[in-house]
Amino acid sequence: LASLIDLGQSVWLDFIQRNLITSGELARMIEQDGVRGLTSNPAIFEKAFATGAEYRASIAAAKRAGLDAKSTYETLAIEDVQLAADALMPVFERTQGVDGFASLEVSPQLAYDTQGTLAEARRLWNTVNRKNLMIKVPGTPQGIPAIRQLVTEGISVNVTLLFARTAYEAVANAYLEGLERR
């Protein structure tokens, strides 16, 4: 995998689990295998929370504190993404921001809600508080103006749900327009 860097490719891990980070395995993958980023989504976190024993105490504590399922999910997801972003920070610094990102997705329920996507993306950006965070936004017609505005505001965006050339072109144009506005 590390040799892909020489070919101009950046390998991202499409997986996250707390023990991957706390065990040092993510750091090893970054140093030895050339992993240059990490992405997450609610389905990835669901699997991690369901199978990862390291979450049991945190979930129990959240339950005792009266947090609902959504708040518990978000608390755990933000903690993991912060840890991943911290592990990737040396890559971010070494590549001057070309690589070294950790990605966190806005709620998929907001895929068709521009204003909701913007509000959640800004809130997550501020809560995670890592300059190497990417906010994952759906490339839906309603996501396009959100992508443009977030780029304008200097929030790094990772676009998901790109299945057609027309959607890709709309996202690319929104990105360029956001850069011009910025």
Side-chain angles (χ1 to χ4, degrees):
L1 288 178
S3 64
L4 291 173
I5 296 168
D6 297 332
L7 300 173
Q9 299 299 306
S10 296
V11 175
W12 279 48
L13 190 60
D14 191 23
F15 173 77
I16 190 168
Q17 190 162 339
R18 188 162 297 166
N19 69 356
L20 173 77
I21 305 162
T22 59
S23 70
E25 180 63 10
L26 178 59
R28 187 205 62 75
M29 293 172 85
I30 292 166
E31 290 304 312
Q32 295 178 14
D33 297 336
V35 168
R36 308 283 276 211
L38 180 144
T39 189
S40 66
N41 64 43
I44 290 170
F45 277 116
E46 177 190 22
K47 184 176 180 182
F49 298 163
T51 61
E54 69 271 22
Y55 295 103
R56 288 187 187 131
S58 296
I59 291 170
K63 186 175 181 179
R64 284 191 303 276
L67 294 181
D68 63 11
K70 182 180 179 189
S71 297
T72 300
Y73 159 80
E74 188 172 286
T75 299
L76 297 175
I78 287 171
E79 289 172 359
D80 282 7
V81 168
Q82 287 173 323
L83 291 170
D86 292 345
L88 287 158
M89 185 55 72
V91 176
F92 182 82
E93 291 172 343
R94 186 171 59 249
T95 64
Q96 298 178 7
V98 172
D99 279 316
F101 289 90
S103 178
L104 180 63
E105 186 171 348
V106 298
S107 170
Q109 295 174 336
L110 298 171
Y112 301 103
D113 179 352
T114 302
Q115 294 308 313
T117 295
L118 283 168
E120 183 159 322
R122 290 171 180 137
R123 183 181 59 77
L124 291 172
W125 176 261
N126 290 322
T127 302
V128 173
N129 193 27
R130 300 295 190 274
K131 63 184 177 181
N132 62 332
L133 171 69
M134 278 191 164
I135 300 294
K136 191 183 286 190
V137 174
T140 58
Q142 295 81 359
I144 300 302
I147 293 163
R148 180 184 307 110
Q149 183 58 39
L150 293 169
V151 170
T152 299
E153 294 174 20
I155 295 175
S156 298
V157 176
N158 176 4
V159 181
T160 187
L161 300 179
L162 286 179
F163 302 114
R165 182 180 301 158
T166 55
Y168 176 84
E169 290 170 352
V171 167
N173 287 329
Y175 172 72
L176 292 173
E177 291 167 8
L179 286 178
E180 290 170 358
R181 291 179 183 180
R182 180 143 178 88

